[in-house]
Amino acid sequence: MTYTLNSGRVIPQGAFVEHKISQGYREATSVLFIHPMDLFQLGIESGDKVRVTSAAGSVVLRTEETETLREGCVFIALGPYANAITGGYSHGTGMPDYKAIPVEIEPTDDPVMTVWDLMEEIGGLRYDN
Amino acid sequence: MGEILLKNAWVIDPISGINGEMMDIAMDGGRIVEYVSDKADVIDAEGFLTLPGGIDSHTHTSGTKVNFGRYMSPEDMRAGRTPKKGAMHVTSGYSVPTTYGNSYKYSALGYTSLVEGAMAPLEARHTHEEFAFTPLQDSFANVLFDGNWGMLGAIEEGDIKRAAAIIAWTISAVKGFAVKLTNPGGTEAWGFGKNVSCINQTMPRFDITPTEIIRSAIEANELLHLPHSVHLHCNNLGTPGNYTCTLGTFDIVPDLNDTRQTLYATHVQFHSYGGSGWSDFCSKSEPIAQKVNMRPQIVIDMGQVMFGRTTTMTADGPMEFNLYRLHHDKWSNHDVELETGSGIIPVNYRKKNLVNSIMWAIGLELALLVENPWQCLLATDNPNGAPFVKYPEVIALLMSKKYRDAEFATVHQDTGKRVPLPAIDRELTWHDIAVMTRAGQARALGITGVGKGYLLPGAEADIAVYPIRVDDIDPAQQYEEVIKGFSQTEYTIKRGRVVSRRGDALVHGENTTFWVKPNVPSEYDMTHDERFKEHFERYYSIRMSNYPVQEEYLHRNYCIRTETDLSTTHD
Amino acid sequence: MIIEDVPCPFCGCLCDDITLTIKNNRIVGVENCCVLGNAKYLSKQRLKHPIMRKEGKWVEVSFDEAIEETARILSGATRPLLYGWSGTYNEAQVTAVHLAEELGALIDSTTSVCHNPSILAIQEVGHPGCTLGQVKNRADLVIYWGCNPIEAHPRHLSRYTTYADGYFFENTVSDRKVVVVDVRESETAKIADEFIQVKPGGDYLILSALRAMVRGRGDVVPATVAGVKKEQLQRVVDLCQKARYGAVFFGLGVSMTRGKYKNIRNAIELVSELNRKTKFTISAMRGHYNVYGFNEVLTWMAGYPFAVDFSRGIAFYNPGETTVIDVLARKEPDACLVVASDPGAHFPKTCIEHMAAIPTIQIDPCVNPTTALCQVQIPVAITGIEVAGTAYRMDGVPIRMKKVVETEFPTDKQILDRICERVRELNGNG
Amino acid sequence: MKVTITLWDRDNPLIPVEAEMITPDAFFSGEEIIIAVGNRHMRLDGIADIHIEGEASSAAEVAIEIRGDSARFKRVGEMMTAGSITIEGDIGMHCGNFMSGGSIEILGSADGWLGREMKGGEIICHGDAGDYCGAGYRGGRKGMRGGSIEVVGSVGDFACEHIAGGEVIIRGNTGDYPCAEMKGGTVIILGDCSRVCANMSAGTCYVYGYADEMIPTFERIGCVDRDGLQLHHFRGDVANRGHGDLYVARYGYLS
C-alpha cells in the first residue's frame, strides 16, 4: 500500500547537527514514525526494519510507532535517510518535495546503512581519520 | 587624497556668498585649502558650473525597510541592472537600487552626502552595514523616536530632561545623527491596528497627544544642542484635507535656535492636501507656503512626486495600510517593538490619474511659493515621490515655466481646476537651485561646522562639476539642456578625490558616517538608570547590552559631540 | 570566566541571553540555552587540518595548497556554483557575493531549501510582519502553522510568545490563545487551544476557505476541507476576529508541501484580510541562525535574497532556474564551493550525486556528510564562538555574534578573501 | 531570408546556453550574434554552423530553423517582433519571452517558462511544455498578456500563472495550479488538471477533463453546454473577491 511520507526537524536530529557522522545522528534520522495500525497491517512490530521506496529511490529504516500521525501517514527526521527517497524535481520553484512524498513500505531484514555508506553509494569518499 | 587643483571652475557657493565666479579650487588631504604646490594634479573644469557636493537631507537608501523594498520587488530589481565594469560592481534596481547602485547613481548626479530619513534604533546595525556599501557618499541617519516607549513615558510624566536623556542615550547607542518623528503617536497606535487622527488626539497607550510629543521632542532636541533640528513627518500623511493638520503642527513650533530652524518638516507635498475626500481632492500649497513664509523657524522639503513606477516606504505603518487598501498591490509592514513601525508598497504615479497629477503640481508649487529657497529644499523623499534619478527633471521644472506648461498640458485635464500651478510664473535661478540641493541642506542639517555645503578653505573637498556653461544657456527656454547637464557630472569629487566621471564611478571609495554624542551628566546617563534598564530587559526582545551599535560597524566615522543643558543645577 | 548575553549561533531565534563559562579557553558551562544550542557550544568534533583527495585517498595539506587548489578549480569553471552561507556571518557573506561576481558564478543559500517559497510569496504580495518583541508584548492569539517550535526552535514560546512576559498581559499564559495547524500531532500541537489536523498538502485549500469565511462568504465553502470540518474552521475564524493582536508563525510544513509558495501567499493574504478587522502579523520560522542575514546581504548587494546567477555579468534571479536544487538536478555546475552548510545531509540524492561527480570544495569547521562529496575541505573558526560578526534574527533584527574563545583557525572571511584575491589574479584582474 | 542554425555537439552538453539573440529581428539587422555558454560569452558561429539563404526586407521575412541539440538553449526568440523560428528538437527555458509578433514552432518539447510575459504572436509546441508555460516573472505582476500558445502534449505546474491576456490551449493535462492568480485572457485545458484557477480575479478557463482538488472557494453558478459537453460554471475566487469564470466538465474536492 502507498503511504504519505513527511519529513521535519526533531530535537535529537537537531542536537546531533554538529555530529552527523555519529551513531546518535544516525539513530535520530533513520527512524520511521508510523501509526500502530499501519504496523499491524504490515505484520511487524515497532522497532522492526522496513524498506521505504519512492520514485526517487529506496532506503532501509527502523520503525517506531506513534499515534500522533494519521493512519497512512509516516514521518522521518530530515537528513540523509529522508533524502535518499526525495526527488530533485522542484516544480520550477527551487524547493523539492520534502513533504507528502508517496512511498511504498515493506518489511525487510536488510541493514540500516551508515551515513558514510549512503555517501559512498552515490560516489563519495568517507573521511574517518 | 593628495593635492589637486581644480582650475577654471564657475562657482556658485551660497554659504560663502559666491554667486557665479570663475575660480581655482585647491584641495589637499581631503579638504579645501588656500594653496597647493606645483606637484598637484590639475583638473580643468573648463568654466563649467561648479557647486559644493550635493546633499540629500531626506532619502531612503539604507536599512531594514529599504532592503525589504528590494527583497520584495524582483520586478523592480530587473528594471535597472548594470554589469561589473572597472571599479563598479554589479548593480540592480530602478526605484530601490542596490547599495552600490544608489551610490554610483547619486555620485553621477554630484551627490556626496546622504541622510537616511528613518532608522529604527533596534535595527540600526543594518543601516550601518549598508552605509559601508554606499562608498561614494557620507552618511547620516535620522533615528526614529515617534513610538519610543522610554521617551513617550518621560513626556507623559512631564519630564523633558528625562526624554532628552533617553534620546541622547539612544541616538549615541545606535550611532545616529538626528531625531526623527514619523506620524508621532500614530505608529505606536498602529501596534494594535489604530492610528491618531491629528495632533490633538490622545494616543491609546500613553496619555499624551502628538502635539505634546512634537513640542517635547523639539525642547529635548534643543536641550541636547543637536546639530539638526527635530525632523518631522507630520501626522495624516496622504489624506485629503490634511493641510489643516499640517498648519496646526507648524503653529505649535517654537523658535528656539538662532543658527537654524527648530523644525524640519519633510516631504510636505504629501501633507498639503485639501478636500474632504478623493472626489474633491485639491492642492493647499498656498496656505502651507504662506505659513512657512511667516515662520522662519521652519524648513521644509518638497517631497516632489514625478510620474512613473516607484516604491513607497515609510515608518508610517497605518498610512501604508490605507494606501494598500487603495491600490490592492503588495503590502509589507514591519512594526518594531517599543519604537516604531514601517510599511512598503509599490506605486505607479500616472498622468492619467487626477490625484497623482495634483500631487505632482503641489510639490512644485511649494518650491515656487516658499519665498526663501533656504526654507524649501529639493527632495522627492526618494523613492516615495520618485526615485532620486528624477532630480534633474525637478530642477528643470523649477527653472522653466515653459517646461512646466508643456508638462501640465499632458497631465489629467481636470488638474487645472484643483491647483494654482499654471498661474505661478516664478522661475528659480541657478543660485536658488544651489541652495535647495546643497547649501540649504548643510545649514538645515547643522553640518556646515564639519565642513559640509561650501567651498572655502577648511571645507571638505566635496565638489560637483556639471557640464553646464551658465552663460551659454537660458534655463527658462533650454530646459532639456538643464536636465542633461544635471544628469551626469563632468567630475564628482569626494573628500579631495575624483570618484565619478561622466557617469562612471572610478574608485571603490570609503564613506564617513557622521553621528552625534551628547555629553550627558551622569545622573542623566541611561546606561546606569535602573528604571530604564529594568523596563528594557523586560519588554524588549534583545538584551540591553546587545543593543548599542558596536564600533566595528562604523569603519570611517566622525562623532559630533555636543554639550547639553541637562545638569540639575542649571534650573 | 563568565560571559553574559551571548547570542546563540544555532537557530533563527538567535537568543542573545546565553551565559557561558570559559575555562582554559574552553566552554565548560552553558546557561539559558536550549538543548540544540547547548550541543553546539559543547561540541568537540572538528576537522583539524585542510584535507584534499589525492589518488582516491584523503591527505592533509596546507591552507596555502587548499586555497590555491580552490581558486584554480573555481576560476577554471564555466558554471561554478557557490552554496551555503547560512552558518556564517554577514561580513564573510559579503566576500562571497564579490567572489560570485568575479567568477560569473551562481550563488545560492540554504534558503533555497527552507523558506524560498516564503520569499517568492512575499515577492507577490508583500509581508505584514513585525519584530518578535511586538508579538511578545501584544499578541493574544498565536497561530503556529506547519511548524513545531518546541522541537525546532525550543525557546520560541518562552522568549517571544506563549510563555513570554508581555506588557499588555496580566497572565501571560492564560491570556493568550494558541492555534496549531499540522499534519501530525506534534509536541507543539499538544499545548494548543485548537489543533487543526490537516491532510498532507491541504494547507492551501484551508487557507482559501478561511479567507472566504473572514469575508463573510462561508456559504461557498464545502462541509469539510482537506480533512477539517467547516465548524472547526469557523471557530478559528471567530478566534482570529476576536483577537486584539494575532500573530501567525509558519514553517516548512507550509513551504515544502504541495503548492509551495502559493500556500504562503494564501496565508499572507489571509493576514492582510484580517488586518481590515483587527491587527495581525505573519512571520517565517527561519532555521539557521543567519539564514536571514545572507538574504539581506545578497539583497543589498545584488538585489535579490537568494539564487542569483552572475554568469552574464549582471545579477539574474529566477528560482526554479537559478536555484541550487534545480541546477544540480539538471547537472549544470562544473565546480562547486560549499560554505557553512551541509548539502550532503540535506539535499535529495540526485543532487548530491552530481556534487560528488564534479570538483566540490567545502569550507566548514566540521567533518560532515558533505565531506565525502568533496575534493578539498578547509576547516575554519566557528562563528559566534571563535569569531565575531553580524547575524540576522528570523524577524530581521541584526545582532552582533560574539567571540568567546581564542582559536588558531582562520575565519570564513579570511579564507574567502584569499580565494577571491587569488581568483582575481588568475582572471587577470589582480 | 532563411537562416539554418545547425548546433554542433558540445563537450559538456549540460551547460546551459543563453541565446536571446536568436531572433528574426537580430538576423535581419545583421548584428553579430553573441551567446553565453555558462559564464563564457562567444559568437554563435563558435558552436554552430549558420547557413543563410536569400534576403529579407523586414524581420517578418526572416525564417530561422534550429537543428541539433537545443534542449539547453534558453531565451530563443526573446523579444521577437516578427518572422518565424522553427525548432526541430527540444528547446530550453524561456523560449519566446516577451515576444510580441511572429511565430515559433517547436517540434519537440519545451522547458519551463515557454512564452513568459508574451504580448503577441503565436507559439505552437508539438511535445510537452515545462512549468510556468505562459506565466510571468517573479514578483507577480502580469503573465502572458496577448498572443497565443498551443501545447499539443501536457504542461507542468503553474501554467499560465498571472495570465492577463491572450489565449492558451493545452491539449494534454496540466500539473498543479494552472491559471493561479489569473487576471484575464482565456485558457482551455482539454485534459485533466488539479487546483485550477486558485485565487483568480478575472479571465476565463475551460477544463474539458477532470479538475481534481478544486479550490473550495468558487461559487457554483450553473451549467452550460459547450462543444457538446455539459460544463459546470463556477465563479471566483471568492477568497480573492474575484469574478473570473471557470468551466469544468468533471471535478472533485479534497474533503
Side-chain angles (χ1 to χ4, degrees):
Chain A
M1 114 171 221
T2 304
Y3 296 79
T4 303
L5 173 79
N6 273 295
S7 66
R9 292 197 178 101
V10 294
I11 286 261
Q13 159 263 328
F16 283 106
V17 156
E18 306 295 321
H19 293 270
K20 296 211 193 75
I21 306 307
S22 65
Q23 181 69 15
Y25 183 74
R26 175 181 165 189
E27 281 170 10
T29 55
S30 62
V31 174
L32 185 77
F33 293 93
I34 185 165
H35 195 274
M37 281 306 291
D38 291 330
L39 277 178
F40 179 77
Q41 281 177 5
L42 285 164
I44 54 173
E45 289 180 12
S46 184
D48 288 352
K49 285 178 293 182
V50 288
R51 176 170 292 279
V52 181
T53 307
S54 73
S58 89
V59 69
V60 175
L61 303 170
R62 190 173 55 77
T63 57
E64 189 172 318
E65 67 177 16
T66 174
E67 289 184 43
T68 61
L69 289 160
R70 286 172 186 266
E71 283 175 50
C73 289
V74 290
F75 180 87
I76 180 174
L78 52 78
Y81 297 88
N83 292 324
I85 43 179
T86 304
Y89 174 55
S90 81
H91 308 260
T93 68
M95 173 65 80
D97 294 325
Y98 284 114
K99 310 243 181 210
I101 308 168
V103 293
E104 303 289 330
I105 298 176
E106 54 185 346
T108 184
D109 288 327
D110 292 347
V112 175
M113 291 169 88
T114 66
V115 172
W116 283 140
D117 291 340
L118 285 169
M119 293 298 121
E120 291 199 329
E121 196 183 32
I122 54 120
L125 176 66
R126 73 183 62 208
Y127 177 81
D128 42 14
N129 294 33
Chain B
M1 276 170 278
E3 292 184 308
I4 297 184
L5 185 64
L6 180 69
K7 288 177 76 83
N8 305 316
W10 202 87
V11 176
I12 299 178
D13 174 1
I15 288 176
S16 312
I18 300 166
N19 186 8
E21 275 178 41
M22 195 69 86
M23 298 169 65
D24 293 349
I25 301 173
M27 294 161 248
D28 189 15
R31 296 241 158 205
I32 294 176
V33 294
E34 294 282 356
Y35 308 101
V36 284
S37 70
D38 52 8
K39 290 187 195 115
D41 290 335
V42 175
I43 299 169
D44 189 348
E46 299 175 56
F48 285 151
L49 175 63
T50 301
L51 304 176
I55 300 172
D56 201 332
S57 50
H58 189 100
T59 180
H60 300 282
T61 57
S62 302
T64 308
K65 74 178 172 305
V66 177
N67 213 34
F68 210 83
R70 301 178 185 118
Y71 185 101
M72 67 187 269
S73 315
E75 72 285 3
D76 189 77
M77 291 304 111
R78 74 167 173 175
R81 289 177 293 178
T82 60
K84 188 167 148 58
K85 176 184 170 192
M88 296 163 79
H89 288 281
V90 167
T91 78
S92 299
Y94 168 66
S95 73
V96 206
T98 50
T99 53
Y100 288 132
N102 273 324
S103 199
Y104 302 153
K105 288 187 194 184
Y106 257 123
S107 193
L109 296 183
Y111 277 74
T112 51
S113 297
L114 304 174
V115 178
E116 166 53 48
M119 174 170 84
L122 180 63
E123 297 169 339
R125 240 170 242 98
H126 186 159
T127 305
H128 288 290
E129 283 202 282
E130 289 196 34
F131 281 169
F133 296 93
T134 311
L136 306 181
Q137 287 81 24
D138 289 343
S139 328
F140 304 76
N142 284 343
V143 183
L144 291 158
F145 282 97
D146 37 75
N148 187 294
W149 283 12
M151 184 192 82
L152 296 179
I155 293 172
E156 193 177 33
E157 291 165 14
D159 190 345
I160 301 293
K161 286 190 171 181
R162 185 173 173 83
I166 289 167
I167 290 172
W169 181 83
T170 309
I171 209 165
S172 45
V174 304
K175 311 296 187 275
F177 172 70
V179 174
K180 172 79 183 292
L181 301 175
T182 293
N183 184 6
T187 51
E188 162 57 26
W190 181 239
F192 279 123
K194 308 275 193 307
N195 198 352
V196 290
S197 61
C198 191
I199 56 171
N200 294 320
Q201 191 194 336
T202 303
M203 293 172 60
R205 151 92 170 79
F206 295 91
D207 189 23
I208 49 176
T209 62
T211 297
E212 290 163 275
I213 300 173
I214 296 164
R215 269 214 195 109
S216 308
I218 288 174
E219 286 172 30
N221 193 83
E222 300 308 321
L223 282 176
L224 297 173
H225 293 279
L226 299 183
H228 188 33
S229 66
V230 162
H231 195 110
L232 175 69
H233 156 143
C234 292
N235 301 98
N236 261 334
L237 181 146
T239 50
N242 65 8
Y243 81 106
T244 54
C245 182
T246 310
L247 290 175
T249 306
F250 287 1
D251 276 333
I252 62 167
V253 178
D255 191 353
L256 299 180
N257 193 306
D258 50 14
T259 59
R260 56 149 169 80
Q261 77 286 352
T262 335
L263 182 78
Y264 180 110
T266 190
H267 43 67
V268 173
Q269 176 276 130
F270 290 109
H271 304 272
S272 305
Y273 300 159
S276 55
W278 298 111
S279 56
D280 59 349
F281 184 79
C282 63
S283 167
K284 285 292 177 185
S285 57
E286 285 172 320
I288 296 286
Q290 273 168 22
K291 179 70 73 181
V292 174
N293 288 337
M294 290 187 304
R295 300 195 63 109
Q297 66 269 44
I298 293 170
V299 165
I300 66 171
D301 74 55
M302 296 164 69
Q304 177 63 24
V305 158
M306 297 292 277
F307 299 107
R309 276 206 174 281
T310 191
T311 308
T312 68
M313 48 180 65
T314 164
D316 196 341
M319 190 285 296
E320 288 283 1
F321 183 66
N322 289 332
L323 209 55
Y324 160 69
R325 293 182 64 167
L326 229 51
H327 290 257
H328 283 287
D329 206 330
K330 324 180 191 192
W331 168 55
S332 287
N333 178 76
H334 184 70
D335 295 345
V336 179
E337 65 205 55
L338 283 71
E339 292 181 350
T340 183
S342 71
I344 310 169
I345 77 161
V347 294
N348 187 3
Y349 296 114
R350 292 175 305 134
K351 288 184 175 179
K352 281 192 224 156
N353 179 302
L354 177 58
V355 168
N356 294 166
S357 298
I358 295 168
M359 292 164 81
W360 168 80
I362 293 172
L364 298 173
E365 289 158 12
L366 289 171
L368 297 166
L369 295 171
V370 170
E371 287 157 12
N372 180 358
W374 296 88
Q375 272 187 280
C376 182
L377 308 177
L378 190 152
T380 58
D381 186 18
N382 166 66
N384 286 295
F388 65 85
V389 291
K390 299 274 193 184
Y391 284 2
E393 289 171 54
V394 179
I395 291 171
L397 286 164
L398 295 175
M399 296 184 86
S400 168
K401 165 82 170 145
K402 185 181 169 191
Y403 183 27
R404 291 200 295 270
D405 288 345
E407 280 294 288
F408 200 85
T410 66
V411 303
H412 191 285
Q413 56 186 10
D414 294 343
T415 310
K417 295 177 215 145
R418 313 283 188 100
V419 306
L421 186 65
I424 302 172
D425 293 329
R426 186 175 174 194
E427 289 176 331
L428 298 188
T429 63
W430 300 107
H431 187 272
D432 291 336
I433 297 301
V435 171
M436 291 175 70
T437 54
R438 45 268 288 164
Q441 271 86 352
R443 188 174 286 173
L445 293 169
I447 54 173
T448 51
V450 295
K452 294 285 182 190
Y454 65 103
L455 296 176
L456 289 188
E460 287 243 40
D462 293 355
I463 306 171
V465 181
Y466 296 96
I468 295 173
R469 286 204 178 80
V470 167
D471 290 337
D472 292 353
I473 66 165
D474 174 4
Q477 298 300 320
Q478 293 162 281
Y479 53 83
E480 296 287 354
E481 296 296 309
V482 173
I483 295 172
K484 201 170 145 228
F486 278 113
S487 292
Q488 197 170 291
T489 60
E490 193 67 17
Y491 298 96
T492 302
I493 297 172
K494 174 80 191 63
R495 217 183 321 123
R497 183 160 69 144
V498 178
V499 293
S500 178
R501 173 137 170 80
R502 293 183 183 161
D504 281 349
L506 303 179
V507 296
H508 287 297
E510 188 188 15
N511 79 335
T512 304
T513 298
F514 288 79
W515 58 289
V516 299
K517 186 168 189 183
N519 184 13
V520 180
S522 61
E523 68 268 33
Y524 281 104
D525 182 353
M526 288 297 128
T527 315
H528 309 298
D529 185 284
E530 288 308 320
R531 188 152 67 99
F532 184 78
K533 279 159 63 181
E534 200 251 319
H535 191 268
F536 193 110
E537 304 293 18
R538 191 160 176 160
Y539 300 119
Y540 268 101
S541 64
I542 76 169
R543 303 287 296 170
M544 190 166 152
S545 72
N546 285 322
Y547 187 83
V549 172
Q550 292 83 355
E551 297 285 331
E552 284 88 341
Y553 291 88
L554 290 175
H555 307 283
R556 200 188 147 82
N557 70 97
Y558 185 93
C559 175
I560 301 171
R561 290 170 196 277
T562 69
E563 291 308 316
T564 63
D565 296 335
L566 289 186
S567 101
T568 34
T569 53
H570 204 76
D571 286 8
Chain C
M1 184 176 50
I2 307 273
I3 305 178
E4 291 185 326
D5 296 349
V6 179
C8 167
F10 193 90
C11 82
C13 283
L14 214 58
C15 305
D16 70 330
D17 60 344
I18 312 300
T19 301
L20 298 177
T21 310
I22 314 288
K23 239 182 210 164
N24 300 327
N25 201 37
R26 287 203 88 107
I27 299 169
V28 294
V30 185
E31 277 172 64
N32 292 345
C33 202
C34 73
V35 52
L36 303 175
N38 205 62
K40 178 160 182 178
Y41 277 124
L42 298 176
S43 166
K44 293 191 181 71
Q45 191 268 111
R46 77 186 304 159
L47 179 63
K48 302 207 170 52
H49 309 272
I51 52 172
M52 199 187 286
R53 261 205 245 182
K54 289 183 179 174
E55 292 162 7
K57 285 206 175 75
W58 287 110
V59 292
E60 286 176 11
V61 296
S62 66
F63 280 98
D64 287 348
E65 187 180 349
I67 287 165
E68 181 64 25
E69 178 69 0
T70 303
R72 191 191 60 76
I73 290 170
L74 292 176
S75 66
T78 305
R79 189 79 172 141
L81 167 67
L82 313 183
Y83 174 75
W85 316 112
S86 302
T88 188
Y89 52 115
N90 289 14
E91 293 77 359
Q93 293 164 348
V94 162
T95 307
V97 181
H98 283 149
L99 176 63
E101 192 187 81
E102 184 65 39
L103 288 167
L106 274 159
I107 184 164
D108 199 5
S109 85
T110 63
T111 299
S112 221
V113 289
C114 61
H115 276 283
N116 141 8
S118 315
I119 293 174
L120 291 184
I122 286 167
Q123 291 176 338
E124 291 196 352
V125 288
H127 178 207
C130 62
T131 64
L132 289 164
Q134 198 75 350
V135 175
K136 158 187 151 93
N137 287 315
R138 296 178 197 261
D140 53 354
L141 174 66
V142 177
I143 301 177
Y144 284 113
W145 196 308
C147 57
N148 181 15
I150 287 182
E151 299 204 65
H153 300 87
R155 295 183 72 212
H156 195 269
L157 289 93
S158 60
R159 277 177 60 83
Y160 309 122
T161 66
T162 317
Y163 306 122
D165 251 356
Y167 181 85
F168 292 96
F169 298 95
E170 301 244 330
N171 184 327
T172 179
V173 180
S174 63
D175 292 353
R176 302 191 207 242
K177 291 262 179 299
V178 177
V179 174
V180 171
V181 187
D182 207 326
V183 293
R184 66 187 179 112
E185 195 184 350
S186 63
E187 292 301 312
T188 311
K190 289 175 186 153
I191 61 142
D193 296 284
E194 189 80 54
F195 169 50
I196 303 180
Q197 190 162 19
V198 52
K199 283 190 181 169
D203 304 86
Y204 187 92
L205 307 169
I206 288 182
L207 286 159
S208 289
L210 289 173
R211 280 171 69 199
M213 291 164 90
V214 170
R215 284 194 53 211
R217 290 304 309 274
D219 58 304
V220 300
V221 175
T224 310
V225 180
V228 184
K229 292 216 156 51
K230 195 171 169 182
E231 293 75 42
Q232 190 181 19
L233 294 177
Q234 190 59 53
R235 277 206 305 278
V236 172
V237 167
D238 293 343
L239 272 177
C240 288
Q241 296 192 346
K242 271 193 225 125
R244 229 176 136 200
Y245 187 121
V248 180
F249 291 95
F250 63 95
L252 304 184
V254 203
S255 70
M256 282 178 172
T257 37
R258 189 164 173 194
K260 311 283 193 299
Y261 63 107
K262 290 296 172 203
N263 300 328
I264 320 285
R265 175 184 169 131
N266 218 351
I268 293 172
E269 289 194 283
L270 171 63
V271 165
S272 299
E273 186 71 44
L274 283 164
N275 267 291
R276 293 165 186 261
K277 321 252 175 187
T278 179
K279 179 79 180 186
F280 253 81
T281 56
I282 181 165
S283 314
M285 299 288 279
R286 305 302 302 266
H288 290 71
Y289 73 90
N290 198 25
V291 60
Y292 200 3
F294 181 78
N295 301 147
E296 295 281 10
V297 167
L298 190 62
T299 300
W300 83 59
M301 299 194 66
Y304 310 97
F306 67 107
V308 169
D309 181 356
F310 285 105
S311 65
R312 301 299 300 274
I314 48 143
F316 175 67
Y317 163 84
N318 187 27
E321 177 182 5
T322 59
T323 25
V324 63
I325 292 298
D326 304 86
V327 292
L328 287 172
R330 291 195 303 267
K331 308 204 181 301
E332 288 181 20
D334 55 352
C336 180
L337 175 69
V338 177
V339 182
S341 69
D342 186 8
H346 296 123
F347 280 4
K349 187 174 158 185
T350 170
C351 299
I352 54 177
E353 252 166 13
H354 186 64
M355 291 179 75
I358 58 173
T360 295
I361 302 117
Q362 169 163 247
I363 300 176
D364 199 281
C366 298
V367 172
N368 58 26
T370 303
T371 305
L373 311 175
C374 291
Q375 298 297 316
V376 184
Q377 181 169 351
I378 305 175
V380 279
I382 301 165
T383 306
I385 297 176
E386 298 168 341
V387 51
T390 317
Y392 281 62
R393 200 167 68 182
M394 60 167 71
D395 56 350
V397 172
I399 293 177
R400 186 154 185 89
M401 309 299 290
K402 288 183 181 165
K403 173 178 177 167
V404 294
V405 296
E406 293 300 324
T407 181
E408 288 172 359
F409 286 94
T411 65
D412 286 317
K413 177 159 167 47
Q414 287 166 339
I415 296 290
L416 288 164
D417 277 339
R418 287 190 58 192
I419 294 170
C420 201
E421 193 183 328
R422 189 68 188 117
V423 164
R424 282 201 182 105
E425 284 167 12
L426 291 168
N427 285 355
N429 299 330
Chain D
M1 179 194 285
K2 179 155 172 42
V3 180
T4 310
I5 301 168
T6 308
L7 304 171
W8 304 342
D9 288 341
R10 295 192 287 143
D11 288 344
N12 184 346
L14 300 176
I15 303 271
V17 178
E18 294 207 1
E20 70 278 10
M21 288 188 76
I22 300 186
T23 60
D25 307 81
F27 278 96
F28 171 67
S29 75
E31 290 169 84
E32 192 177 39
I33 308 288
I34 302 294
I35 48 128
V37 179
N39 58 14
R40 312 288 152 104
H41 287 76
M42 60 180 73
R43 287 161 55 112
L44 178 61
D45 60 15
I47 59 161
D49 291 322
I50 304 171
H51 182 73
I52 298 180
E53 267 178 273
E55 306 262 302
S57 59
S58 72
E61 291 171 19
V62 178
I64 299 173
E65 192 175 314
I66 301 175
R67 299 176 179 168
D69 179 8
S70 53
R72 292 263 161 131
F73 277 60
K74 296 181 187 178
R75 299 167 67 186
V76 168
E78 180 169 287
M79 311 287 267
M80 73 185 268
T81 64
S84 70
I85 300 178
T86 307
I87 296 142
E88 289 205 337
D90 298 340
I91 193 68
M93 295 174 184
H94 302 291
C95 180
N97 269 0
F98 304 106
M99 77 185 275
S100 56
S103 63
I104 297 178
E105 184 169 11
I106 302 153
L107 301 181
S109 291
D111 208 332
W113 290 278
L114 176 66
R116 162 161 73 80
E117 295 172 88
M118 178 176 181
K119 298 188 183 81
E122 56 176 21
I123 297 177
I124 298 175
C125 175
H126 292 276
D128 297 332
D131 301 316
Y132 293 99
C133 173
Y137 181 61
R138 301 298 180 188
R141 286 284 197 268
K142 286 179 179 169
M144 181 175 175
R145 293 143 218 222
S148 69
I149 300 178
E150 180 180 349
V151 179
V152 177
S154 291
V155 301
D157 290 355
F158 306 110
C160 305
E161 186 184 39
H162 301 288
I163 186 170
E167 186 177 279
V168 177
I169 300 174
I170 295 150
R171 298 200 171 273
N173 304 323
T174 79
D176 249 4
Y177 291 95
C179 307
E181 332 295 343
M182 185 171 193
K183 296 177 173 74
T186 304
V187 177
I188 299 163
I189 300 165
L190 297 181
D192 302 337
C193 62
S194 57
R195 300 197 179 179
V196 64
C197 290
N199 218 38
M200 86 190 291
S201 51
T204 310
C205 175
Y206 299 92
V207 180
Y208 286 83
Y210 182 68
D212 196 16
E213 297 199 4
M214 277 276 291
I215 303 299
T217 46
F218 275 76
E219 185 167 21
R220 196 167 176 282
I221 303 291
C223 272
V224 295
D225 277 317
R226 200 179 139 105
D227 303 334
L229 257 179
Q230 270 245 316
L231 299 178
H232 302 274
H233 182 193
F234 287 90
R235 184 153 297 154
D237 185 337
V238 170
N240 194 33
R241 295 177 167 75
H243 48 270
D245 291 302
L246 168 61
Y247 300 89
V248 299
R250 291 171 296 121
Y251 66 96
Y253 290 104
L254 178 66
S255 58

